[in-house]
Amino acid sequence: MLTGVTPDPPVRSRRPARLSPRVRTWLVAGLSLLGGYVIATARQVAVRPPLVLGQDAVSSPQSRAARVTLEQAGGPVIRIRPQNGEARTLLVFYPGGLVRPQAYEWLGRALADQGVETVIPAFPLDLAVTAAGRADALIGAYGGGKRVVIAGHSLGGAMAAQYAARHPRKVAGLILMAAYPAGNVTLKDQTLPVLSLLAERDGVAAPEAVRGGLNRLPAGTTLTVIPGAVHAFFGRYGPQQGDGQPDVNRAQAEGDILNAVQTYLTGLR
């Protein structure tokens, strides 16, 4: 036995500090709200609204004459054809991220009397990045005897650019709406005619980013600024969080968008 050594006092276990009932109540309420927000957000992404043809799409007597059907070609697709006569051009349109295809039906209807057939696919979760090669099935089903132009808005435009870069022989043109190629995608060495539309008041796709994307597009790319327009004016899906404040009404912006697209398609002919 050792002497002269004072033994250590026994170690007492410390109980964790107890939260007051009021703090516990606030904590539970906060976690419940956070959980509800996460669930609601996940549900919004996973459960998409139904495809409804003709919803907020008709804008002129000519557009009313278009034939619009919901078909299957590698998945659901809105098909918009001229009422009378055969189409000479097939426009494959990739919607923006989390945007339903019918938001762009207005454009297809407006182009139908110009001999353009438009197909707007529905992507899983409404994200074109989930199936960027979807145009293969659409061109195979509807592109026979037609010149094919691929287009897209926002994220859909980035995926359309990726498709055009990887399949240069399948498309005769590319239209980007508030969009630009991803950093690892370039079409710079191609001769593909490209139209890039920039919304002047866009708060989602920054104008400097759209202009910067021209460095990854063919030298002859046409950049057209839609005066006073915002990101959400390319599709009819309502206001978008983070977007800018428009200086023009939607009708004026849509008219400018349509004129730019028609001029571009006419130039291809």
Side-chain angles (χ1 to χ4, degrees):
M1 180 176 181
L2 297 176
T3 59
V5 178
T6 304
D8 294 332
V11 178
R12 295 181 179 180
S13 60
R14 294 184 178 180
R15 295 182 179 179
R18 298 183 63 182
L19 300 176
S20 69
R22 184 176 182 180
V23 173
R24 288 201 302 269
T25 299
W26 281 106
L27 182 60
V28 170
L31 291 175
S32 297
L33 288 173
L34 178 60
Y37 174 79
V38 171
I39 292 173
T41 302
R43 179 178 175 81
Q44 182 181 11
V45 174
V47 181
R48 307 306 299 153
L51 281 171
V52 182
L53 301 181
Q55 182 171 292
D56 299 324
V58 178
S59 59
S60 67
Q62 292 83 1
S63 66
R64 293 188 185 96
R67 291 184 290 169
V68 184
T69 53
L70 181 60
E71 302 184 9
Q72 290 287 329
V77 57
I78 296 177
R79 183 184 185 191
I80 308 167
R81 290 169 284 171
Q83 184 69 34
N84 300 310
E86 294 295 326
R88 299 178 296 275
T89 299
L90 176 69
L91 180 67
V92 179
F93 194 100
Y94 282 9
L98 300 180
V99 180
R100 294 263 70 190
Q102 65 258 32
Y104 307 94
E105 187 182 337
W106 74 270
L107 179 62
R109 284 176 175 266
L111 291 172
D113 66 331
Q114 304 295 318
V116 178
E117 177 176 344
T118 302
V119 287
I120 314 170
F123 289 93
L125 303 179
D126 284 333
L127 294 170
V129 70
T130 61
R134 180 74 185 283
D136 281 338
L138 300 172
I139 295 171
Y142 306 114
K146 304 182 185 75
R147 175 186 52 203
V148 177
V149 176
I150 190 166
H153 174 221
S154 196
L155 176 63
M159 295 301 101
Q162 177 177 299
Y163 184 87
R166 294 179 178 179
H167 306 85
R169 296 184 180 180
K170 290 189 175 183
V171 296
L174 170 65
I175 301 174
L176 301 177
M177 298 184 179
Y180 46 89
N184 61 342
V185 174
T186 181
L187 297 89
K188 191 172 183 179
D189 295 330
Q190 294 190 23
T191 57
L192 185 72
V194 179
L195 171 64
S196 177
L197 299 181
L198 187 161
E200 184 182 29
R201 306 283 293 174
D202 198 324
V204 179
E208 57 268 23
V210 175
R211 293 181 185 277
L214 297 175
N215 294 327
R216 299 186 295 281
L217 292 171
T221 294
T222 299
L223 175 67
T224 299
V225 178
I226 307 301
V230 295
H231 196 80
F233 276 4
F234 289 100
R236 294 181 179 177
Y237 57 90
Q240 185 164 347
Q241 185 175 4
D243 208 351
Q245 292 294 323
D247 284 342
V248 297
N249 59 40
R250 178 178 288 274
Q252 178 63 51
E254 287 184 353
D256 291 339
I257 293 167
L258 179 60
N259 287 337
V261 171
Q262 287 177 328
T263 300
Y264 168 79
L265 293 176
T266 299
L268 291 182
R269 301 190 183 105

